Amino acid sequence: WNPTGDIAKVARDLYQHIDNLELYVGLMCEESKKPGDGAGLCPGYTISRAILADAVCLTRGDRFLTTDLTPFNLTSWGYQDCARDTKNGSMGGMFSKLLFRSLPDYYPPGSVYAHFPFVTPPEMEHWLTKIGLRDRYTFERPLNAPIRPVVPVVTAAGVESVLSNPTLYKTVSMGTSSHWTNASFLFFDSEPRHVNARKLVGNALNRNGAMDQYSQYYSAHTRRLLKLRSFKSGADRYAVNVVRDVINIVPVHWMCEEIAGIPLKSEEAPRGIWTEQEVYQMITTIYTFVFINNDPSEDWPLRENSTSYEKTLIDYIKNRLQALSGDYSRLSIRGIRDFLQHFLTQEVDNSDGFYETLTKNNAGQMSIDELASNVLSVAVTCAATLIHATTHVVDFYLDPKPEREAARKDLSSLAAAKTSTPESNAKLVGYVREALRYAPPSAGIFRKATADARIDQGQGSPALDVKEGDTVFLSTARANMDPKGCSHPETVDPARTTRPKVPFGRGADSYVSVSTMKTRASFMLTLWFANSVHGTQEYVYISNRGTISPWPASLLIEYDASGYAALDEE
């Protein structure tokens, strides 16, 4: 109870036995915990036990945290959203999620004021420094200045007006990384040197004959994966998870084998380093962090995982660039290591043409680090945008709505044709563009005004006044359906010649993705929810783990045996 001799002696004289000790006197005189680092409150043992017991009883007696805390009541995604995550930057704390979601524009990413709201910043800085995490957080006090609302632009004329003036309206990236902020065109596509970087990588991607090569690659690999991943679902029937096993995977192979030269593990190269799903996870995480990082409460895990993935992939790309640039001899330790890696993994690597064109056109303009960063940028954005766009196209035309029936029949006849013509290819591209106009991969893109300006939204719509520093949301989804920019927008017309001049991607990534999407058009969702982004509907999906994700995970389709046999035909 208390080893101090005087206190124990007096208590023994007064009460004779410990069981006779009065509660208040006993609590006040009980030995306290010794103060020390991390000790917190230092009451006696009984008070400590009582406080903890009270907290446990309150928790275990709260039906919202016990009997009602089930996926049945909360749905699978709601239950996962309530789960404790020790890697959320708050050491598993949940209060930061409430603060970030309730006041998303008030707390900057990594703010100790949000992650540890019940600890003073100086004290938190001391402990974070001690455990080596100080550099991952920000300690600036949040500003008290009023936050101006995001300005939504919803007409085709308004969106085109903003996009045509990149000097006045700068690109806004949802996330940045120490690996990319000084090199990649993703974050600063309006600045001259990054525009040049974007062109340099784009020219290597679109080098002479490359589009035909990509077209053949996508055609062959789509057929191969459809046949390989299909299974019998009945008499003369086959089924395939077309999103998980084909649409999500073909761009991963293309990125690794034709562009980046990353050793992928697959049926053709069983000794590769990463599986298809692992690389898919890497590129979608990086892309989400840069472009779709809308939830501040998810910024920390996205930032940590994205930074790790970027470093891993950039290291491989740098090795390929250094080898082709002659930075080291093939007989050096690094050269022998690279040779053994290629030999042992048996990777499929057709990226020499891309890298050779890139290094030749570079002519010393950029360092190897900058080139590697930009190669990763173009590889990730192309692959991720193709995954999103192709899924939306397939889902759009598989929709059983009666108004899509004519388009489905026309697409079937075009696909069944033994040979293609420029006219049939143009029609297929038209169908792809129409599907992406209806269901774009992105609801819109963000821009930041560098000066006070007025945005003309066209006849019949009021002009919008913006101040310097205001964030502008360009609703490309609503602009695509604007009757003033697109006649009869509800009609699917593959021969349409007038469409709003808006990208279907998210800013800089659309530069290289549109042309690549055309090559894929000639051969080529799980449960979703409608979400609102500044008044524009956008879809989110349920992942295999039951969490909300911007990436579709599954779409199981069934087809007859004749379709399976046709996969062997060229």
Side-chain angles (χ1 to χ4, degrees):
W1 172 66
N2 196 316
T4 304
D6 292 344
I7 296 177
K9 181 180 182 304
V10 172
R12 192 180 298 111
D13 291 341
L14 289 173
Y15 296 99
Q16 284 78 49
H17 194 274
I18 190 69
D19 290 343
N20 298 329
L21 192 64
E22 293 175 282
L23 175 63
Y24 184 79
V25 174
L27 291 177
M28 294 298 101
C29 296
E30 187 175 28
E31 182 186 23
S32 301
K33 285 198 307 182
K34 291 182 173 59
D37 292 344
L41 297 175
C42 296
Y45 173 81
T46 306
I47 292 181
S48 298
R49 183 64 182 265
I51 293 173
L52 291 174
D54 182 56
V56 170
C57 289
L58 287 174
T59 302
R60 292 178 178 175
D62 188 339
R63 68 179 180 88
F64 293 108
L65 298 176
T66 52
T67 57
D68 284 359
L69 189 64
T70 64
F72 179 82
N73 289 329
L74 303 178
T75 72
S76 62
W77 64 269
Y79 183 76
Q80 291 293 337
D81 195 53
C82 294
R84 183 171 180 261
D85 180 10
T86 58
K87 297 181 179 180
N88 65 351
S90 303
M91 313 299 181
M94 299 291 286
F95 205 77
S96 59
K97 182 178 289 189
L98 175 65
L99 293 177
F100 276 128
R101 289 183 176 176
S102 302
L103 303 166
D105 298 320
Y106 183 69
Y107 294 100
S111 173
V112 293
Y113 285 85
H115 282 292
F116 308 103
F118 299 115
V119 183
T120 61
E123 182 69 11
M124 204 64 231
E125 185 173 11
H126 165 73
W127 287 108
L128 291 173
T129 301
K130 195 167 186 177
I131 60 178
L133 297 178
R134 191 236 178 267
D135 293 340
R136 300 187 186 183
Y137 294 87
T138 60
F139 297 86
E140 294 77 17
R141 190 179 188 88
L143 299 176
N144 290 324
I147 299 169
R148 291 182 57 81
V150 173
V151 180
V153 181
V154 300
T155 67
V159 171
E160 291 174 13
S161 172
V162 172
L163 292 176
S164 64
N165 196 340
T167 302
L168 181 58
Y169 302 100
K170 297 284 188 178
T171 300
V172 176
S173 296
M174 296 298 177
T176 60
S177 167
S178 59
H179 294 289
W180 284 8
T181 49
N182 295 320
S184 173
F185 66 79
L186 281 180
F187 302 103
F188 309 101
D189 64 347
S190 57
E191 294 186 8
R193 76 185 183 97
H194 292 282
V195 170
N196 293 336
R198 180 177 163 192
K199 289 180 179 178
L200 177 67
V201 182
N203 289 338
L205 186 72
N206 297 286
R207 65 191 182 280
N208 187 31
M211 284 301 150
D212 291 336
Q213 176 184 333
Y214 299 155
S215 176
Q216 295 170 9
Y217 182 92
Y218 271 109
S219 177
H221 277 69
T222 301
R223 287 175 180 274
R224 184 181 70 84
L225 285 179
L226 279 171
K227 189 172 181 65
L228 185 66
R229 306 293 167 83
S230 292
F231 57 91
K232 292 208 69 171
S233 59
D236 298 326
R237 304 291 294 175
Y238 285 84
V240 63
N241 193 322
V242 70
V243 169
R244 186 192 65 197
D245 295 333
V246 182
I247 293 175
N248 287 354
I249 301 305
V250 175
V252 169
H253 276 269
W254 171 78
M255 165 190 158
C256 293
E257 297 170 7
E258 300 290 319
I259 303 299
I262 294 170
L264 188 67
K265 181 182 292 187
S266 64
E267 291 84 358
E268 295 173 308
R271 297 179 184 175
I273 296 179
W274 291 295
T275 65
E276 299 162 333
Q277 293 297 336
E278 285 173 337
V279 177
Y280 168 79
Q281 182 66 35
M282 289 182 185
I283 64 176
T284 53
T285 299
I286 294 172
Y287 190 88
T288 302
F289 174 61
V290 176
F291 291 111
I292 325 177
N293 189 10
N294 297 321
D295 186 353
S297 66
E298 297 296 328
D299 177 83
W300 184 275
L302 275 176
R303 181 182 300 274
E304 294 291 297
N305 292 332
S306 174
T307 300
S308 173
Y309 294 154
E310 288 165 26
K311 186 179 185 306
T312 300
L313 296 178
I314 282 178
D315 285 345
Y316 273 89
I317 295 171
K318 282 174 62 177
N319 286 338
R320 295 285 288 121
L321 285 167
Q322 288 169 340
L324 290 171
S325 301
D327 281 11
Y328 57 84
S329 169
R330 292 187 181 274
L331 297 178
S332 66
I333 295 177
R334 180 180 287 184
I336 294 172
R337 185 196 66 184
D338 290 347
F339 170 78
L340 289 175
Q341 175 187 296
H342 285 276
F343 177 76
L344 294 175
T345 60
Q346 298 178 343
E347 63 175 306
V348 180
D349 187 359
N350 303 315
S351 61
D352 282 358
F354 170 79
Y355 279 118
E356 288 170 358
T357 304
L358 181 67
T359 53
K360 179 181 177 181
N361 293 341
N362 181 45
Q365 299 177 51
M366 294 188 190
S367 66
I368 293 295
D369 288 340
E370 290 178 321
L371 278 179
S373 207
N374 281 287
V375 168
L376 181 60
S377 300
V378 74
V380 166
T381 51
C382 276
T385 304
L386 283 169
I387 288 168
H388 244 161
T390 307
T391 302
H392 282 226
V393 171
V394 170
D395 180 72
F396 180 79
Y397 288 114
L398 287 180
D399 193 322
K401 291 180 180 178
E403 56 267 29
R404 310 273 167 83
E405 183 64 29
R408 278 195 297 273
K409 289 182 178 179
D410 197 14
L411 283 168
S412 297
S413 63
L414 289 170
K418 299 296 182 182
T419 59
S420 61
T421 64
E423 291 76 16
S424 64
N425 285 337
K427 196 170 189 179
L428 280 170
V429 171
Y431 274 121
V432 170
R433 288 190 175 277
E434 283 294 272
L436 294 176
R437 183 177 63 82
Y438 267 84
S442 166
I445 53 181
F446 290 89
R447 291 291 186 265
K448 186 173 287 290
T450 59
D452 293 356
R454 168 165 288 195
I455 301 173
D456 182 10
Q457 293 206 99
Q459 186 176 4
S461 299
L464 299 173
D465 291 318
V466 296
K467 301 291 184 181
E468 180 181 354
D470 280 359
T471 299
V472 179
F473 177 71
L474 307 180
S475 176
T476 53
R478 294 177 66 179
N480 281 330
M481 303 302 289
D482 183 1
K484 295 185 179 68
C486 178
S487 58
H488 306 291
E490 299 297 332
T491 303
V492 177
D493 181 10
R496 189 185 300 277
T497 56
T498 57
R499 293 184 181 89
K501 297 177 182 178
V502 298
F504 72 82
R506 290 176 169 87
D509 56 314
S510 63
Y511 172 80
V512 289
S513 298
V514 171
S515 57
T516 312
M517 189 65 208
K518 292 180 183 177
T519 69
R520 195 172 185 187
S522 44
F523 15 87
M524 283 242 54
L525 279 173
T526 199
L527 181 64
W528 60 5
F529 295 105
N531 187 33
S532 177
V533 181
H534 299 290
T536 297
Q537 180 174 280
E538 185 172 52
Y539 291 104
V540 291
Y541 307 85
I542 297 296
S543 72
N544 294 329
R545 298 187 298 110
T547 56
I548 291 290
S549 170
W551 300 95
S554 177
L555 177 61
L556 193 68
I557 63 171
E558 194 176 36
Y559 59 99
D560 56 35
S562 61
Y564 185 79
L567 294 174
D568 291 325
E569 301 175 5
E570 292 294 335

